[in-house]
Amino acid sequence: MAQNSFPYTYFEGKIVPSEDAKVSVQTHALQYGTGVFGGIRGYYNEAKQNLYVFRLPEHCKRLVNSTKIMQLQIKITPEEIQTIILDLLRKNEAKQNVYLRPFIYTSALQLSPRFHDVKADITVYALKLDDYLDTQNGLTTMVSSWQRFSDNQIPTLSKVSGGYVNSALAKSEAVQNGMDEAIFLDARGFVSEGSAENLFIVRDGVIHTPTIPSSILEGITRRSIIQIAKDLGYQVIERDIARSELYIADELFFSGTGVQVAWVKEVDRRVIGNGTIGPVTKKIQSIFFETVRGEDPKYMNWLTPVY
Ligand code: PMP
């Protein structure tokens, strides 16, 4: 059990003590990466004494879509997953920032990599988690020597465990080279995304971000950032982005559940803009943090209160 784990976990159809949520080494998904997962955050608002889960219905829908893409053998609706998650948070009496990991995996003790004809199960655990990457000081990045896999190799819109081998290789390469994070190019050589986050650049006041065919995961934070940016009056263009545009961007930032909104100060040792957080990123980041904590009435419908 992780040190920052909450005491209870949803496992094999019920809420159990986290130390009892264990699988066999013979579990199918453990061999083949044949599971799909979600990463969801909840933010505790002290003033309102409530925990708000960010875009819970959207995350649950994406998870069910992931099972559909992969043909995982489980019958579960997004609404049922929402109920499991809210029940679990209440059972844990969670009153701080949380990270939720729902995981639907081939749970049978069987050999042979496949999705059909293997029983799948859902588990959900919760961790106490604040920042995953530094959101304040600027990240150093490198374009990875590993290419982001294409949709017809491993479906990019499914958050499938096996696909994270790609992320792990890129992340380790970046960190071993003294950088904080990696940036993937797609099979055509265009910019895709970070190892576990989407990417935006700002050029002359206009925001640009890669499209779904650039092999990105369709981030729920990305969708939220696009909405926030448009509401602020910025033009947001989803298009192919060339590698060299990264170097001459005025601003560059990542978005994702883990990373939240984090700005990048360096790509391949080229300083982005003047090496400080840019005005567009700063504005979007501040609205994002107010939104997730339930401090911006405009986006309250993105939050599910736990209590
Ligand atoms: N891309 C990848 C590969 C990811 O793992 C994540 C994290 N889920 C994201 C992008 C960002 O997606 P979201 O905003 O939905 O967390």
Side-chain angles (χ1 to χ4, degrees), residues 37-39 59 62 99 148 159 164 167 193-198 216-222 255-258:
F37 64 97
H59 277 283
R62 185 174 69 190
Y99 183 85
R148 171 82 174 153
K159 229 174 124 55
Y164 282 81
S167 297
E193 60 178 346
S195 75
E197 50 277 321
N198 295 116
I216 63 167
L217 178 77
E218 192 177 14
I220 290 161
T221 319
R222 173 183 181 273
S255 77
T257 299

mmCIF file with all atom_site columns, all heavy atoms in Angstrom, residues 37-39 59 62 99 148 159 164 167 193-198 216-222 255-258, ligand 1:
data_model
loop_
_atom_site.group_PDB
_atom_site.id
_atom_site.type_symbol
_atom_site.label_atom_id
_atom_site.label_alt_id
_atom_site.label_comp_id
_atom_site.label_asym_id
_atom_site.label_entity_id
_atom_site.label_seq_id
_atom_site.pdbx_PDB_ins_code
_atom_site.Cartn_x
_atom_site.Cartn_y
_atom_site.Cartn_z
_atom_site.occupancy
_atom_site.B_iso_or_equiv
_atom_site.pdbx_formal_charge
_atom_site.auth_seq_id
_atom_site.auth_comp_id
_atom_site.auth_asym_id
_atom_site.auth_atom_id
_atom_site.pdbx_PDB_model_num
ATOM   1   N N   . PHE A 1 37  ? -7.293  2.907  -17.495 1.00 0.00 ? 37  PHE A N   1
ATOM   2   C CA  . PHE A 1 37  ? -7.422  3.603  -16.214 1.00 0.00 ? 37  PHE A CA  1
ATOM   3   C C   . PHE A 1 37  ? -7.789  5.061  -16.394 1.00 0.00 ? 37  PHE A C   1
ATOM   4   O O   . PHE A 1 37  ? -7.780  5.591  -17.507 1.00 0.00 ? 37  PHE A O   1
ATOM   5   C CB  . PHE A 1 37  ? -6.149  3.444  -15.375 1.00 0.00 ? 37  PHE A CB  1
ATOM   6   C CG  . PHE A 1 37  ? -4.908  4.057  -15.964 1.00 0.00 ? 37  PHE A CG  1
ATOM   7   C CD1 . PHE A 1 37  ? -4.498  5.317  -15.557 1.00 0.00 ? 37  PHE A CD1 1
ATOM   8   C CD2 . PHE A 1 37  ? -4.140  3.388  -16.895 1.00 0.00 ? 37  PHE A CD2 1
ATOM   9   C CE1 . PHE A 1 37  ? -3.336  5.894  -16.074 1.00 0.00 ? 37  PHE A CE1 1
ATOM   10  C CE2 . PHE A 1 37  ? -2.985  3.957  -17.429 1.00 0.00 ? 37  PHE A CE2 1
ATOM   11  C CZ  . PHE A 1 37  ? -2.584  5.207  -17.011 1.00 0.00 ? 37  PHE A CZ  1
ATOM   12  N N   . GLY A 1 38  ? -8.120  5.669  -15.287 1.00 0.00 ? 38  GLY A N   1
ATOM   13  C CA  . GLY A 1 38  ? -8.397  7.094  -15.257 1.00 0.00 ? 38  GLY A CA  1
ATOM   14  C C   . GLY A 1 38  ? -7.505  7.737  -14.216 1.00 0.00 ? 38  GLY A C   1
ATOM   15  O O   . GLY A 1 38  ? -6.909  7.056  -13.371 1.00 0.00 ? 38  GLY A O   1
ATOM   16  N N   . GLY A 1 39  ? -7.384  9.029  -14.285 1.00 0.00 ? 39  GLY A N   1
ATOM   17  C CA  . GLY A 1 39  ? -6.663  9.801  -13.271 1.00 0.00 ? 39  GLY A CA  1
ATOM   18  C C   . GLY A 1 39  ? -7.519  11.025 -13.021 1.00 0.00 ? 39  GLY A C   1
ATOM   19  O O   . GLY A 1 39  ? -7.757  11.804 -13.944 1.00 0.00 ? 39  GLY A O   1
ATOM   20  N N   . HIS A 1 59  ? -14.611 12.197 -16.904 1.00 0.00 ? 59  HIS A N   1
ATOM   21  C CA  . HIS A 1 59  ? -13.578 11.168 -16.679 1.00 0.00 ? 59  HIS A CA  1
ATOM   22  C C   . HIS A 1 59  ? -14.185 9.761  -16.738 1.00 0.00 ? 59  HIS A C   1
ATOM   23  O O   . HIS A 1 59  ? -13.578 8.844  -17.302 1.00 0.00 ? 59  HIS A O   1
ATOM   24  C CB  . HIS A 1 59  ? -12.884 11.389 -15.336 1.00 0.00 ? 59  HIS A CB  1
ATOM   25  C CG  . HIS A 1 59  ? -11.776 12.398 -15.397 1.00 0.00 ? 59  HIS A CG  1
ATOM   26  N ND1 . HIS A 1 59  ? -10.536 12.120 -15.921 1.00 0.00 ? 59  HIS A ND1 1
ATOM   27  C CD2 . HIS A 1 59  ? -11.731 13.695 -15.011 1.00 0.00 ? 59  HIS A CD2 1
ATOM   28  C CE1 . HIS A 1 59  ? -9.766  13.195 -15.864 1.00 0.00 ? 59  HIS A CE1 1
ATOM   29  N NE2 . HIS A 1 59  ? -10.469 14.166 -15.307 1.00 0.00 ? 59  HIS A NE2 1
ATOM   30  N N   . ARG A 1 62  ? -14.912 8.845  -20.322 1.00 0.00 ? 62  ARG A N   1
ATOM   31  C CA  . ARG A 1 62  ? -13.701 8.481  -21.071 1.00 0.00 ? 62  ARG A CA  1
ATOM   32  C C   . ARG A 1 62  ? -13.227 7.080  -20.689 1.00 0.00 ? 62  ARG A C   1
ATOM   33  O O   . ARG A 1 62  ? -12.748 6.317  -21.533 1.00 0.00 ? 62  ARG A O   1
ATOM   34  C CB  . ARG A 1 62  ? -12.582 9.498  -20.844 1.00 0.00 ? 62  ARG A CB  1
ATOM   35  C CG  . ARG A 1 62  ? -11.359 9.190  -21.715 1.00 0.00 ? 62  ARG A CG  1
ATOM   36  C CD  . ARG A 1 62  ? -10.270 10.246 -21.627 1.00 0.00 ? 62  ARG A CD  1
ATOM   37  N NE  . ARG A 1 62  ? -9.637  10.250 -20.325 1.00 0.00 ? 62  ARG A NE  1
ATOM   38  C CZ  . ARG A 1 62  ? -8.783  11.187 -19.914 1.00 0.00 ? 62  ARG A CZ  1
ATOM   39  N NH1 . ARG A 1 62  ? -8.473  12.200 -20.713 1.00 0.00 ? 62  ARG A NH1 1
ATOM   40  N NH2 . ARG A 1 62  ? -8.245  11.142 -18.723 1.00 0.00 ? 62  ARG A NH2 1
ATOM   41  N N   . TYR A 1 99  ? -6.189  12.258 -5.334  1.00 0.00 ? 99  TYR A N   1
ATOM   42  C CA  . TYR A 1 99  ? -6.009  11.756 -6.694  1.00 0.00 ? 99  TYR A CA  1
ATOM   43  C C   . TYR A 1 99  ? -6.677  10.391 -6.736  1.00 0.00 ? 99  TYR A C   1
ATOM   44  O O   . TYR A 1 99  ? -6.436  9.549  -5.872  1.00 0.00 ? 99  TYR A O   1
ATOM   45  C CB  . TYR A 1 99  ? -4.515  11.623 -7.019  1.00 0.00 ? 99  TYR A CB  1
ATOM   46  C CG  . TYR A 1 99  ? -4.251  11.184 -8.439  1.00 0.00 ? 99  TYR A CG  1
ATOM   47  C CD1 . TYR A 1 99  ? -4.208  12.115 -9.480  1.00 0.00 ? 99  TYR A CD1 1
ATOM   48  C CD2 . TYR A 1 99  ? -4.045  9.844  -8.753  1.00 0.00 ? 99  TYR A CD2 1
ATOM   49  C CE1 . TYR A 1 99  ? -3.972  11.725 -10.787 1.00 0.00 ? 99  TYR A CE1 1
ATOM   50  C CE2 . TYR A 1 99  ? -3.805  9.442  -10.067 1.00 0.00 ? 99  TYR A CE2 1
ATOM   51  C CZ  . TYR A 1 99  ? -3.769  10.394 -11.072 1.00 0.00 ? 99  TYR A CZ  1
ATOM   52  O OH  . TYR A 1 99  ? -3.536  10.007 -12.367 1.00 0.00 ? 99  TYR A OH  1
ATOM   53  N N   . ARG A 1 148 ? 5.777   9.098  -30.100 1.00 0.00 ? 148 ARG A N   1
ATOM   54  C CA  . ARG A 1 148 ? 4.469   8.747  -29.544 1.00 0.00 ? 148 ARG A CA  1
ATOM   55  C C   . ARG A 1 148 ? 3.810   7.709  -30.476 1.00 0.00 ? 148 ARG A C   1
ATOM   56  O O   . ARG A 1 148 ? 3.803   7.904  -31.696 1.00 0.00 ? 148 ARG A O   1
ATOM   57  C CB  . ARG A 1 148 ? 3.613   10.008 -29.434 1.00 0.00 ? 148 ARG A CB  1
ATOM   58  C CG  . ARG A 1 148 ? 2.151   9.799  -29.087 1.00 0.00 ? 148 ARG A CG  1
ATOM   59  C CD  . ARG A 1 148 ? 1.867   9.620  -27.618 1.00 0.00 ? 148 ARG A CD  1
ATOM   60  N NE  . ARG A 1 148 ? 0.428   9.573  -27.383 1.00 0.00 ? 148 ARG A NE  1
ATOM   61  C CZ  . ARG A 1 148 ? -0.154  8.940  -26.365 1.00 0.00 ? 148 ARG A CZ  1
ATOM   62  N NH1 . ARG A 1 148 ? 0.584   8.298  -25.472 1.00 0.00 ? 148 ARG A NH1 1
ATOM   63  N NH2 . ARG A 1 148 ? -1.454  8.952  -26.228 1.00 0.00 ? 148 ARG A NH2 1
ATOM   64  N N   . LYS A 1 159 ? -7.052  5.181  -22.582 1.00 0.00 ? 159 LYS A N   1
ATOM   65  C CA  . LYS A 1 159 ? -5.974  5.323  -21.596 1.00 0.00 ? 159 LYS A CA  1
ATOM   66  C C   . LYS A 1 159 ? -5.578  3.917  -21.138 1.00 0.00 ? 159 LYS A C   1
ATOM   67  O O   . LYS A 1 159 ? -5.949  3.465  -20.059 1.00 0.00 ? 159 LYS A O   1
ATOM   68  C CB  . LYS A 1 159 ? -6.489  6.166  -20.424 1.00 0.00 ? 159 LYS A CB  1
ATOM   69  C CG  . LYS A 1 159 ? -5.558  7.302  -20.040 1.00 0.00 ? 159 LYS A CG  1
ATOM   70  C CD  . LYS A 1 159 ? -6.179  8.171  -18.989 1.00 0.00 ? 159 LYS A CD  1
ATOM   71  C CE  . LYS A 1 159 ? -5.302  8.287  -17.756 1.00 0.00 ? 159 LYS A CE  1
ATOM   72  N NZ  . LYS A 1 159 ? -3.941  8.753  -17.968 1.00 0.00 ? 159 LYS A NZ  1
ATOM   73  N N   . TYR A 1 164 ? 1.532   3.037  -21.639 1.00 0.00 ? 164 TYR A N   1
ATOM   74  C CA  . TYR A 1 164 ? 2.376   3.855  -20.760 1.00 0.00 ? 164 TYR A CA  1
ATOM   75  C C   . TYR A 1 164 ? 3.824   3.391  -20.717 1.00 0.00 ? 164 TYR A C   1
ATOM   76  O O   . TYR A 1 164 ? 4.673   4.052  -20.108 1.00 0.00 ? 164 TYR A O   1
ATOM   77  C CB  . TYR A 1 164 ? 1.724   4.004  -19.376 1.00 0.00 ? 164 TYR A CB  1
ATOM   78  C CG  . TYR A 1 164 ? 0.625   5.046  -19.495 1.00 0.00 ? 164 TYR A CG  1
ATOM   79  C CD1 . TYR A 1 164 ? -0.617  4.707  -20.008 1.00 0.00 ? 164 TYR A CD1 1
ATOM   80  C CD2 . TYR A 1 164 ? 0.874   6.377  -19.229 1.00 0.00 ? 164 TYR A CD2 1
ATOM   81  C CE1 . TYR A 1 164 ? -1.595  5.668  -20.225 1.00 0.00 ? 164 TYR A CE1 1
ATOM   82  C CE2 . TYR A 1 164 ? -0.095  7.347  -19.436 1.00 0.00 ? 164 TYR A CE2 1
ATOM   83  C CZ  . TYR A 1 164 ? -1.323  6.985  -19.933 1.00 0.00 ? 164 TYR A CZ  1
ATOM   84  O OH  . TYR A 1 164 ? -2.279  7.948  -20.161 1.00 0.00 ? 164 TYR A OH  1
ATOM   85  N N   . SER A 1 167 ? 5.326   6.205  -22.479 1.00 0.00 ? 167 SER A N   1
ATOM   86  C CA  . SER A 1 167 ? 5.512   7.353  -21.585 1.00 0.00 ? 167 SER A CA  1
ATOM   87  C C   . SER A 1 167 ? 6.691   7.146  -20.642 1.00 0.00 ? 167 SER A C   1
ATOM   88  O O   . SER A 1 167 ? 7.475   8.069  -20.402 1.00 0.00 ? 167 SER A O   1
ATOM   89  C CB  . SER A 1 167 ? 4.258   7.566  -20.732 1.00 0.00 ? 167 SER A CB  1
ATOM   90  O OG  . SER A 1 167 ? 3.157   7.868  -21.545 1.00 0.00 ? 167 SER A OG  1
ATOM   91  N N   . GLU A 1 193 ? 2.496   15.479 -27.583 1.00 0.00 ? 193 GLU A N   1
ATOM   92  C CA  . GLU A 1 193 ? 2.170   15.863 -26.199 1.00 0.00 ? 193 GLU A CA  1
ATOM   93  C C   . GLU A 1 193 ? 3.326   15.495 -25.284 1.00 0.00 ? 193 GLU A C   1
ATOM   94  O O   . GLU A 1 193 ? 4.342   14.972 -25.744 1.00 0.00 ? 193 GLU A O   1
ATOM   95  C CB  . GLU A 1 193 ? 0.874   15.170 -25.752 1.00 0.00 ? 193 GLU A CB  1
ATOM   96  C CG  . GLU A 1 193 ? 0.955   13.649 -25.778 1.00 0.00 ? 193 GLU A CG  1
ATOM   97  C CD  . GLU A 1 193 ? -0.324  12.969 -25.290 1.00 0.00 ? 193 GLU A CD  1
ATOM   98  O OE1 . GLU A 1 193 ? -1.174  13.621 -24.684 1.00 0.00 ? 193 GLU A OE1 1
ATOM   99  O OE2 . GLU A 1 193 ? -0.433  11.756 -25.505 1.00 0.00 ? 193 GLU A OE2 1
ATOM   100 N N   . GLY A 1 194 ? 3.151   15.751 -23.984 1.00 0.00 ? 194 GLY A N   1
ATOM   101 C CA  . GLY A 1 194 ? 4.147   15.354 -22.998 1.00 0.00 ? 194 GLY A CA  1
ATOM   102 C C   . GLY A 1 194 ? 3.979   13.880 -22.659 1.00 0.00 ? 194 GLY A C   1
ATOM   103 O O   . GLY A 1 194 ? 3.152   13.183 -23.265 1.00 0.00 ? 194 GLY A O   1
ATOM   104 N N   . SER A 1 195 ? 4.743   13.388 -21.689 1.00 0.00 ? 195 SER A N   1
ATOM   105 C CA  . SER A 1 195 ? 4.661   11.956 -21.369 1.00 0.00 ? 195 SER A CA  1
ATOM   106 C C   . SER A 1 195 ? 3.326   11.604 -20.728 1.00 0.00 ? 195 SER A C   1
ATOM   107 O O   . SER A 1 195 ? 2.868   10.473 -20.829 1.00 0.00 ? 195 SER A O   1
ATOM   108 C CB  . SER A 1 195 ? 5.820   11.536 -20.459 1.00 0.00 ? 195 SER A CB  1
ATOM   109 O OG  . SER A 1 195 ? 5.616   11.987 -19.141 1.00 0.00 ? 195 SER A OG  1
ATOM   110 N N   . ALA A 1 196 ? 2.673   12.557 -20.085 1.00 0.00 ? 196 ALA A N   1
ATOM   111 C CA  . ALA A 1 196 ? 1.365   12.300 -19.477 1.00 0.00 ? 196 ALA A CA  1
ATOM   112 C C   . ALA A 1 196 ? 0.560   13.586 -19.387 1.00 0.00 ? 196 ALA A C   1
ATOM   113 O O   . ALA A 1 196 ? -0.178  13.800 -18.427 1.00 0.00 ? 196 ALA A O   1
ATOM   114 C CB  . ALA A 1 196 ? 1.538   11.679 -18.095 1.00 0.00 ? 196 ALA A CB  1
ATOM   115 N N   . GLU A 1 197 ? 0.732   14.463 -20.395 1.00 0.00 ? 197 GLU A N   1
ATOM   116 C CA  . GLU A 1 197 ? 0.019   15.728 -20.365 1.00 0.00 ? 197 GLU A CA  1
ATOM   117 C C   . GLU A 1 197 ? -0.058  16.307 -21.776 1.00 0.00 ? 197 GLU A C   1
ATOM   118 O O   . GLU A 1 197 ? 0.783   16.016 -22.613 1.00 0.00 ? 197 GLU A O   1
ATOM   119 C CB  . GLU A 1 197 ? 0.698   16.731 -19.414 1.00 0.00 ? 197 GLU A CB  1
ATOM   120 C CG  . GLU A 1 197 ? 2.184   16.929 -19.589 1.00 0.00 ? 197 GLU A CG  1
ATOM   121 C CD  . GLU A 1 197 ? 3.041   15.878 -18.900 1.00 0.00 ? 197 GLU A CD  1
ATOM   122 O OE1 . GLU A 1 197 ? 2.689   15.471 -17.786 1.00 0.00 ? 197 GLU A OE1 1
ATOM   123 O OE2 . GLU A 1 197 ? 4.055   15.457 -19.475 1.00 0.00 ? 197 GLU A OE2 1
ATOM   124 N N   . ASN A 1 198 ? -1.061  17.111 -22.014 1.00 0.00 ? 198 ASN A N   1
ATOM   125 C CA  . ASN A 1 198 ? -1.202  17.793 -23.298 1.00 0.00 ? 198 ASN A CA  1
ATOM   126 C C   . ASN A 1 198 ? -0.376  19.076 -23.292 1.00 0.00 ? 198 ASN A C   1
ATOM   127 O O   . ASN A 1 198 ? 0.089   19.526 -22.242 1.00 0.00 ? 198 ASN A O   1
ATOM   128 C CB  . ASN A 1 198 ? -2.679  18.086 -23.587 1.00 0.00 ? 198 ASN A CB  1
ATOM   129 C CG  . ASN A 1 198 ? -3.496  16.826 -23.756 1.00 0.00 ? 198 ASN A CG  1
ATOM   130 O OD1 . ASN A 1 198 ? -4.399  16.531 -22.975 1.00 0.00 ? 198 ASN A OD1 1
ATOM   131 N ND2 . ASN A 1 198 ? -3.189  16.066 -24.792 1.00 0.00 ? 198 ASN A ND2 1
ATOM   132 N N   . ILE A 1 216 ? -2.557  12.335 -29.672 1.00 0.00 ? 216 ILE A N   1
ATOM   133 C CA  . ILE A 1 216 ? -2.675  12.758 -28.273 1.00 0.00 ? 216 ILE A CA  1
ATOM   134 C C   . ILE A 1 216 ? -3.760  11.946 -27.566 1.00 0.00 ? 216 ILE A C   1
ATOM   135 O O   . ILE A 1 216 ? -4.657  11.400 -28.206 1.00 0.00 ? 216 ILE A O   1
ATOM   136 C CB  . ILE A 1 216 ? -3.026  14.261 -28.146 1.00 0.00 ? 216 ILE A CB  1
ATOM   137 C CG1 . ILE A 1 216 ? -4.401  14.575 -28.765 1.00 0.00 ? 216 ILE A CG1 1
ATOM   138 C CG2 . ILE A 1 216 ? -1.941  15.112 -28.759 1.00 0.00 ? 216 ILE A CG2 1
ATOM   139 C CD1 . ILE A 1 216 ? -4.956  15.952 -28.399 1.00 0.00 ? 216 ILE A CD1 1
ATOM   140 N N   . LEU A 1 217 ? -3.651  11.895 -26.238 1.00 0.00 ? 217 LEU A N   1
ATOM   141 C CA  . LEU A 1 217 ? -4.815  11.493 -25.450 1.00 0.00 ? 217 LEU A CA  1
ATOM   142 C C   . LEU A 1 217 ? -5.690  12.754 -25.378 1.00 0.00 ? 217 LEU A C   1
ATOM   143 O O   . LEU A 1 217 ? -5.173  13.853 -25.168 1.00 0.00 ? 217 LEU A O   1
ATOM   144 C CB  . LEU A 1 217 ? -4.413  11.057 -24.036 1.00 0.00 ? 217 LEU A CB  1
ATOM   145 C CG  . LEU A 1 217 ? -5.616  10.681 -23.155 1.00 0.00 ? 217 LEU A CG  1
ATOM   146 C CD1 . LEU A 1 217 ? -6.137  9.293  -23.511 1.00 0.00 ? 217 LEU A CD1 1
ATOM   147 C CD2 . LEU A 1 217 ? -5.265  10.731 -21.681 1.00 0.00 ? 217 LEU A CD2 1
ATOM   148 N N   . GLU A 1 218 ? -6.991  12.559 -25.559 1.00 0.00 ? 218 GLU A N   1
ATOM   149 C CA  . GLU A 1 218 ? -7.892  13.717 -25.539 1.00 0.00 ? 218 GLU A CA  1
ATOM   150 C C   . GLU A 1 218 ? -8.107  14.127 -24.080 1.00 0.00 ? 218 GLU A C   1
ATOM   151 O O   . GLU A 1 218 ? -8.985  13.611 -23.399 1.00 0.00 ? 218 GLU A O   1
ATOM   152 C CB  . GLU A 1 218 ? -9.214  13.347 -26.213 1.00 0.00 ? 218 GLU A CB  1
ATOM   153 C CG  . GLU A 1 218 ? -10.069 14.540 -26.490 1.00 0.00 ? 218 GLU A CG  1
ATOM   154 C CD  . GLU A 1 218 ? -11.355 14.151 -27.225 1.00 0.00 ? 218 GLU A CD  1
ATOM   155 O OE1 . GLU A 1 218 ? -11.702 12.961 -27.275 1.00 0.00 ? 218 GLU A OE1 1
ATOM   156 O OE2 . GLU A 1 218 ? -12.004 15.067 -27.737 1.00 0.00 ? 218 GLU A OE2 1
ATOM   157 N N   . GLY A 1 219 ? -7.276  15.035 -23.632 1.00 0.00 ? 219 GLY A N   1
ATOM   158 C CA  . GLY A 1 219 ? -7.272  15.401 -22.221 1.00 0.00 ? 219 GLY A CA  1
ATOM   159 C C   . GLY A 1 219 ? -8.513  16.162 -21.802 1.00 0.00 ? 219 GLY A C   1
ATOM   160 O O   . GLY A 1 219 ? -9.012  17.020 -22.535 1.00 0.00 ? 219 GLY A O   1
ATOM   161 N N   . ILE A 1 220 ? -8.972  15.846 -20.610 1.00 0.00 ? 220 ILE A N   1
ATOM   162 C CA  . ILE A 1 220 ? -10.143 16.546 -20.069 1.00 0.00 ? 220 ILE A CA  1
ATOM   163 C C   . ILE A 1 220 ? -9.708  17.924 -19.549 1.00 0.00 ? 220 ILE A C   1
ATOM   164 O O   . ILE A 1 220 ? -10.457 18.892 -19.636 1.00 0.00 ? 220 ILE A O   1
ATOM   165 C CB  . ILE A 1 220 ? -10.828 15.655 -19.020 1.00 0.00 ? 220 ILE A CB  1
ATOM   166 C CG1 . ILE A 1 220 ? -11.483 14.484 -19.781 1.00 0.00 ? 220 ILE A CG1 1
ATOM   167 C CG2 . ILE A 1 220 ? -11.853 16.420 -18.198 1.00 0.00 ? 220 ILE A CG2 1
ATOM   168 C CD1 . ILE A 1 220 ? -11.818 13.285 -18.954 1.00 0.00 ? 220 ILE A CD1 1
ATOM   169 N N   . THR A 1 221 ? -8.481  18.015 -19.073 1.00 0.00 ? 221 THR A N   1
ATOM   170 C CA  . THR A 1 221 ? -7.944  19.332 -18.688 1.00 0.00 ? 221 THR A CA  1
ATOM   171 C C   . THR A 1 221 ? -7.755  20.183 -19.944 1.00 0.00 ? 221 THR A C   1
ATOM   172 O O   . THR A 1 221 ? -8.082  21.371 -19.950 1.00 0.00 ? 221 THR A O   1
ATOM   173 C CB  . THR A 1 221 ? -6.606  19.183 -17.946 1.00 0.00 ? 221 THR A CB  1
ATOM   174 O OG1 . THR A 1 221 ? -6.693  18.081 -17.054 1.00 0.00 ? 221 THR A OG1 1
ATOM   175 C CG2 . THR A 1 221 ? -6.254  20.433 -17.179 1.00 0.00 ? 221 THR A CG2 1
ATOM   176 N N   . ARG A 1 222 ? -7.253  19.555 -21.010 1.00 0.00 ? 222 ARG A N   1
ATOM   177 C CA  . ARG A 1 222 ? -7.090  20.254 -22.302 1.00 0.00 ? 222 ARG A CA  1
ATOM   178 C C   . ARG A 1 222 ? -8.405  20.898 -22.736 1.00 0.00 ? 222 ARG A C   1
ATOM   179 O O   . ARG A 1 222 ? -8.451  22.080 -23.089 1.00 0.00 ? 222 ARG A O   1
ATOM   180 C CB  . ARG A 1 222 ? -6.615  19.240 -23.356 1.00 0.00 ? 222 ARG A CB  1
ATOM   181 C CG  . ARG A 1 222 ? -6.548  19.738 -24.793 1.00 0.00 ? 222 ARG A CG  1
ATOM   182 C CD  . ARG A 1 222 ? -6.128  18.578 -25.707 1.00 0.00 ? 222 ARG A CD  1
ATOM   183 N NE  . ARG A 1 222 ? -6.021  18.957 -27.104 1.00 0.00 ? 222 ARG A NE  1
ATOM   184 C CZ  . ARG A 1 222 ? -7.040  18.937 -27.973 1.00 0.00 ? 222 ARG A CZ  1
ATOM   185 N NH1 . ARG A 1 222 ? -8.248  18.565 -27.557 1.00 0.00 ? 222 ARG A NH1 1
ATOM   186 N NH2 . ARG A 1 222 ? -6.856  19.281 -29.222 1.00 0.00 ? 222 ARG A NH2 1
ATOM   187 N N   . SER A 1 255 ? -0.943  20.737 -19.855 1.00 0.00 ? 255 SER A N   1
ATOM   188 C CA  . SER A 1 255 ? -2.167  20.572 -19.070 1.00 0.00 ? 255 SER A CA  1
ATOM   189 C C   . SER A 1 255 ? -2.428  19.094 -18.862 1.00 0.00 ? 255 SER A C   1
ATOM   190 O O   . SER A 1 255 ? -2.138  18.270 -19.730 1.00 0.00 ? 255 SER A O   1
ATOM   191 C CB  . SER A 1 255 ? -3.358  21.205 -19.803 1.00 0.00 ? 255 SER A CB  1
ATOM   192 O OG  . SER A 1 255 ? -3.796  20.374 -20.860 1.00 0.00 ? 255 SER A OG  1
ATOM   193 N N   . GLY A 1 256 ? -2.962  18.770 -17.699 1.00 0.00 ? 256 GLY A N   1
ATOM   194 C CA  . GLY A 1 256 ? -3.305  17.378 -17.403 1.00 0.00 ? 256 GLY A CA  1
ATOM   195 C C   . GLY A 1 256 ? -3.757  17.275 -15.962 1.00 0.00 ? 256 GLY A C   1
ATOM   196 O O   . GLY A 1 256 ? -3.497  18.185 -15.164 1.00 0.00 ? 256 GLY A O   1
ATOM   197 N N   . THR A 1 257 ? -4.390  16.174 -15.644 1.00 0.00 ? 257 THR A N   1
ATOM   198 C CA  . THR A 1 257 ? -4.880  16.001 -14.276 1.00 0.00 ? 257 THR A CA  1
ATOM   199 C C   . THR A 1 257 ? -3.717  16.014 -13.293 1.00 0.00 ? 257 THR A C   1
ATOM   200 O O   . THR A 1 257 ? -3.772  16.676 -12.257 1.00 0.00 ? 257 THR A O   1
ATOM   201 C CB  . THR A 1 257 ? -5.665  14.684 -14.174 1.00 0.00 ? 257 THR A CB  1
ATOM   202 O OG1 . THR A 1 257 ? -6.773  14.769 -15.064 1.00 0.00 ? 257 THR A OG1 1
ATOM   203 C CG2 . THR A 1 257 ? -6.148  14.449 -12.753 1.00 0.00 ? 257 THR A CG2 1
ATOM   204 N N   . GLY A 1 258 ? -2.658  15.285 -13.615 1.00 0.00 ? 258 GLY A N   1
ATOM   205 C CA  . GLY A 1 258 ? -1.499  15.228 -12.724 1.00 0.00 ? 258 GLY A CA  1
ATOM   206 C C   . GLY A 1 258 ? -0.764  16.555 -12.699 1.00 0.00 ? 258 GLY A C   1
ATOM   207 O O   . GLY A 1 258 ? -0.561  17.161 -11.646 1.00 0.00 ? 258 GLY A O   1
HETATM 208 N N1  . PMP B 2 .   ? -1.838  12.673 -22.287 1.00 0.00 ? 1   PMP B N1  1
HETATM 209 C C1  . PMP B 2 .   ? -1.517  11.564 -21.610 1.00 0.00 ? 1   PMP B C1  1
HETATM 210 C C2  . PMP B 2 .   ? -0.680  10.533 -22.269 1.00 0.00 ? 1   PMP B C2  1
HETATM 211 C C3  . PMP B 2 .   ? -1.968  11.386 -20.284 1.00 0.00 ? 1   PMP B C3  1
HETATM 212 O O1  . PMP B 2 .   ? -1.638  10.291 -19.612 1.00 0.00 ? 1   PMP B O1  1
HETATM 213 C C4  . PMP B 2 .   ? -2.744  12.402 -19.684 1.00 0.00 ? 1   PMP B C4  1
HETATM 214 C C5  . PMP B 2 .   ? -3.208  12.245 -18.264 1.00 0.00 ? 1   PMP B C5  1
HETATM 215 N N2  . PMP B 2 .   ? -4.441  11.583 -18.191 1.00 0.00 ? 1   PMP B N2  1
HETATM 216 C C6  . PMP B 2 .   ? -3.069  13.537 -20.438 1.00 0.00 ? 1   PMP B C6  1
HETATM 217 C C7  . PMP B 2 .   ? -2.595  13.642 -21.732 1.00 0.00 ? 1   PMP B C7  1
HETATM 218 C C8  . PMP B 2 .   ? -3.950  14.619 -19.874 1.00 0.00 ? 1   PMP B C8  1
HETATM 219 O O2  . PMP B 2 .   ? -5.274  14.184 -19.782 1.00 0.00 ? 1   PMP B O2  1
HETATM 220 P P1  . PMP B 2 .   ? -6.269  14.727 -18.656 1.00 0.00 ? 1   PMP B P1  1
HETATM 221 O O3  . PMP B 2 .   ? -6.283  16.208 -18.781 1.00 0.00 ? 1   PMP B O3  1
HETATM 222 O O4  . PMP B 2 .   ? -7.568  14.125 -18.992 1.00 0.00 ? 1   PMP B O4  1
HETATM 223 O O5  . PMP B 2 .   ? -5.734  14.279 -17.359 1.00 0.00 ? 1   PMP B O5  1
#
